[in-house]
Amino acid sequence: MSKLKLTLQVMSPGLMREQTIMLGDAYVKKCKIPVKQPITLCFGSLKLPISVTPIPHFDGIRISQQLAMKMGMHSGIKLRTMYKPQERTLNLGPLIGILISRDRPDAPDKPFGQITTFCTELVEASQDQGAFVCFFTPDHIQDHVNSITAWVHRSGNWMKTEMPIPNIVNNRLTSRKTENKPSVQHFMKEVKLRYQSSIFNEKFLDKTEVFDALKHDQNVAKYLPESYLLKSFNTLKTMCSRHSQVFLKPARGSLGKGIVRISRSEDNSFYAMYSTVNGTRKQHFPSLLKLFSSLTGKMKTNRYQIQQGLQLMENEGRPVDFRALVQKNATNEWSITSIVARTAGTQHFVSNLARGGTLSTVKDAVTKSNLAPNSRTDVYLRLKNASLEIAQGIDMHIPAHFGELGIDLAVDTSGKVWLIEVNSKPSKNDNTPLQENKIRPSVRKVVEYARYLSGF
């Protein structure tokens, strides 16, 4: 079952039969591929009867133009090939599909908006590894689920073409509403069932689900601040009696939206601080009951997680937290791709970049922080270990397939590491900045993991 990266040559019309593929004779002998006998070609969901003709002194793969059209392929593409003698199948690929929220056909140079650079990197990373990647939106999904319309990168340009169902789908939808559309759910169910395609990051996580699942894991429970779904005044009252500060977070929120920080004053009145785009809004309440009454409207439309407030390490009075990007690698193991520190903006108490936060290395953040000298040692190592244990806990306790996670962590003033939240759709702008003409490690790992899942 030898695997080799071969360059595709598409022959001019009339020079080859559609059902014939030409391969170098050395490769044919090495893989013991039957010559001029019926076998099956597999590319994504495409399965076609073909026969192989060997060519001396040739190290590529030649196919007819008709076959190339069915595959959505063109000359110059590098693909891995794998012959499975028991099944008599010649497999090309893997074909990787990236499911994205929207495209912009009216902007051919930037059809995917702010993630166009990420998509271009994926094309380059895929070709480096002998895979082929295409990009599609829920609007490109067809009812019969036999194929998709997808964007491919060809000769320096983006274009749409008909493609087989991919071997691997990376769900990068950024909206829960879109992900929950019946057409999207039907597609994900069908491709797994009918074509044995793998889908990773197949769903959003919510904070309640994550904390409820992880609190039963002995390796992870030590990182969890006290946290509950806010259902009643009694829950708020109990938490505020235990902690001088608590946070309310939308269970399905992101980017720091809708977070409320509640603090108790010495006279037993309360302050609520609301995270908004323009900064922090502060409101005083004479009693906790009055504060709770002000929240009841929000609670009708949003579920809130109430969480123990932490005394975070600070940089010049601004709280600091950390984002770890954790990804499955070529051997199906969780690995750290990056950990960065995020310092809150001057007008905010949350550190998200969308709220004015700034990035720095872990080392720089710790050096400039208010941590005591004896709490500064091995902070990166402790963040790394926590991230890996939390990712493994998600794998074990949440019944869904994830290949990458954005894990937000905090370090308190005593140096203890805490989990803030887990994001199953981490933004590529939230970790290491892009270096010119380089493919980010996070992008390479997406392709490596897709190759692992597909057997290539």
Side-chain angles (χ1 to χ4, degrees):
M1 204 169 76
S2 178
K3 302 165 203 168
L4 195 67
K5 192 166 62 173
L6 301 178
T7 302
L8 200 69
Q9 289 183 3
V10 179
M11 305 303 288
S12 299
L15 291 181
M16 275 184 73
R17 290 172 60 242
E18 181 183 341
Q19 293 83 10
T20 300
I21 277 184
M22 294 182 177
L23 289 168
D25 58 355
Y27 181 68
V28 170
K29 287 174 186 172
K30 180 183 175 184
C31 298
K32 298 178 181 175
I33 301 173
V35 172
K36 296 181 181 178
Q37 294 180 34
I39 62 172
T40 301
L41 174 76
C42 300
F43 179 65
S45 63
L46 183 70
K47 287 183 168 54
L48 289 173
I50 55 132
S51 64
V52 171
T53 299
I55 308 175
H57 315 299
F58 178 64
D59 60 0
I61 177 168
R62 287 179 186 159
I63 64 173
S64 68
Q65 195 172 59
Q66 303 99 300
L67 180 52
M69 287 178 66
K70 288 183 178 179
M71 294 171 64
M73 290 289 101
H74 57 275
S75 278
I77 290 295
K78 294 183 180 70
L79 287 175
R80 291 193 175 268
T81 60
M82 180 169 58
Y83 181 67
K84 296 182 178 178
Q86 295 86 355
E87 299 163 27
R88 292 179 67 88
T89 58
L90 181 65
N91 299 267
L92 305 182
L95 175 57
I96 305 167
I98 311 295
L99 178 57
I100 57 175
S101 292
R102 64 190 67 85
D103 60 354
R104 295 181 56 195
D106 57 325
D109 292 340
K110 218 171 180 185
F112 315 117
Q114 292 183 339
I115 65 165
T116 302
T117 301
F118 162 70
C119 297
T120 306
E121 284 181 79
L122 264 174
V123 171
E124 294 170 7
S126 295
Q127 278 303 280
D128 279 355
Q129 298 186 47
F132 190 81
V133 66
C134 63
F135 304 85
F136 65 107
T137 74
D139 292 338
H140 297 143
I141 291 170
Q142 299 172 14
D143 291 341
H144 51 68
V145 197
N146 292 331
S147 62
I148 53 172
T149 304
W151 288 91
V152 297
H153 200 256
R154 184 178 299 176
S155 307
N157 298 308
W158 290 102
M159 56 187 67
K160 281 183 182 176
T161 188
E162 196 85 359
M163 297 293 298
I165 299 298
N167 304 102
I168 309 297
V169 175
N170 179 9
N171 173 9
R172 290 203 57 83
L173 295 175
T174 54
S175 155
R176 292 173 192 271
K177 185 178 177 182
T178 304
E179 186 174 270
N180 290 328
K181 280 183 176 179
S183 59
V184 173
Q185 290 299 313
H186 174 70
F187 172 82
M188 291 202 280
K189 183 179 176 183
E190 283 292 293
V191 299
K192 286 193 285 188
L193 196 64
R194 281 165 56 181
Y195 306 114
Q196 287 73 55
S197 298
S198 293
I199 300 176
F200 67 93
N201 286 45
E202 57 186 323
K203 70 168 204 153
F204 278 90
L205 291 167
D206 77 33
K207 296 175 182 66
T208 305
E209 174 185 29
V210 168
F211 277 80
D212 284 355
L214 294 183
K215 67 186 178 186
H216 303 294
D217 189 313
Q218 287 185 338
N219 292 324
V220 179
K222 59 182 179 259
Y223 302 119
L224 306 182
E226 190 175 6
S227 183
Y228 307 98
L229 182 64
L230 180 59
K231 293 180 179 178
S232 67
F233 173 69
N234 280 340
T235 308
L236 179 65
K237 185 180 176 183
T238 302
M239 284 292 281
C240 287
S241 69
R242 287 183 190 160
H243 308 287
S244 59
Q245 196 175 88
V246 298
F247 282 82
L248 304 185
K249 300 177 180 181
R252 295 185 167 184
S254 62
L255 303 175
K257 293 175 184 172
I259 295 177
V260 183
R261 185 174 77 184
I262 298 171
S263 306
R264 185 176 65 243
S265 298
E266 289 180 6
D267 62 358
N268 274 332
S269 63
F270 291 84
Y271 284 95
M273 296 180 78
Y274 305 89
S275 169
T276 72
V277 174
N278 299 318
T280 300
R281 182 169 62 83
K282 191 173 183 180
Q283 194 172 355
H284 178 257
F285 295 91
S287 70
L288 193 58
L289 193 58
K290 292 261 177 150
L291 191 157
F292 183 75
S293 298
S294 76
L295 296 171
T296 50
K298 293 178 187 286
M299 290 171 64
K300 285 176 183 173
T301 53
N302 269 318
R303 290 188 304 122
Y304 278 83
Q305 188 79 358
I306 185 167
Q307 205 169 82
Q308 165 191 352
L310 304 169
Q311 282 295 113
L312 300 193
M313 63 177 268
E314 292 182 347
N315 183 342
E316 297 179 348
R318 295 182 291 158
V320 179
D321 66 24
F322 302 89
R323 159 61 64 95
L325 181 63
V326 190
Q327 293 178 283
K328 291 274 185 76
N329 60 20
T331 56
N332 193 33
E333 293 175 338
W334 287 108
S335 61
I336 299 292
T337 303
S338 63
I339 305 178
V340 293
R342 304 184 302 184
T343 303
T346 51
Q347 303 300 315
H348 297 268
F349 60 85
V350 294
S351 64
N352 302 70
L353 303 189
R355 294 284 187 268
T358 54
L359 290 182
S360 67
T361 64
V362 174
K363 184 178 179 182
D364 279 355
V366 170
T367 301
K368 295 172 183 175
S369 76
N370 62 341
L371 282 183
N374 62 344
S375 299
R376 294 184 177 193
T377 54
D378 298 330
V379 170
Y380 184 92
L381 183 62
R382 282 181 277 135
L383 290 167
K384 175 184 172 182
N385 291 340
S387 302
L388 293 173
E389 288 177 355
I390 290 162
Q392 288 156 5
I394 294 284
D395 244 2
M396 190 176 297
H397 300 290
I398 293 182
H401 181 181
F402 300 102
E404 63 177 352
L405 297 167
I407 299 178
D408 291 347
L409 300 164
V411 174
D412 68 19
T413 48
S414 72
K416 178 174 167 54
V417 175
W418 298 89
L419 172 64
I420 300 174
E421 65 176 287
V422 181
N423 184 345
S424 63
K425 306 295 177 76
S427 162
K428 293 304 168 188
N429 297 324
D430 259 2
N431 51 77
T432 44
L434 175 62
Q435 296 175 5
E436 195 173 349
N437 299 324
K438 281 196 173 184
I439 300 170
R440 282 169 282 190
S442 60
V443 177
R444 291 191 190 279
K445 279 191 183 172
V446 169
V447 181
E448 288 170 5
Y449 185 52
R451 282 180 53 203
Y452 166 80
L453 290 172
S454 65
F456 281 95

